[in-house]
Amino acid sequence: IDELRFGRIAAESEPALLHGTWTPLADVLETPEAYLVEVELPGLSRDDVVVQAQGDELVVRGERRPDAASRPESFHRLERRYGPFARAFRFAEEVDPDRIEAEFDDGLLRLSIPKARPRPATRVRVERSE
């Protein structure tokens, strides 16, 4: 988890703010214990990506910047997208943000997002009112 910055989703992450100038491709799989998310982020480093989780939602955001050595007037064709991106994933049940595991290798972000453990039922003692 040290490779990526994790945090809780802030109130500022309204759906309108989750749109960027490009959208990375992603696969989402489910196992009985966790959700597995793979996001293609070619050309990015771990420092370019932030992962946030809260409740039943996961947000991956960041920014891809053009190489500082490239000058716009030298381009013959510019097909790759640059700028900020954000992907939000909502799951069928709550996840445990404290146990998320992340791996970033060759531009592929792999996340294992454990489902929240069910809480045991709490017994409440009912008192007689007088």
Side-chain angles (χ1 to χ4, degrees), residues 30-94:
E30 182 179 3
T31 70
E33 300 83 28
Y35 296 98
L36 307 173
V37 177
E38 293 185 341
V39 184
E40 291 184 359
L41 299 170
L44 273 73
S45 72
R46 295 184 292 240
D47 295 334
D48 297 323
V49 181
V50 176
V51 177
Q52 298 174 304
Q54 182 176 351
D56 64 349
E57 188 175 35
L58 176 88
V59 175
V60 178
R61 71 176 77 230
E63 185 170 357
R64 181 166 50 200
R65 296 173 182 87
D67 184 4
S70 301
R71 293 180 35 181
E73 60 269 9
S74 67
F75 287 114
H76 289 263
R77 181 178 297 255
L78 185 61
E79 293 183 353
R80 293 186 300 156
R81 303 287 295 224
Y82 295 93
F85 71 88
R87 290 295 310 262
F89 305 94
R90 180 152 281 159
F91 304 109
E93 52 195 289
E94 288 193 13

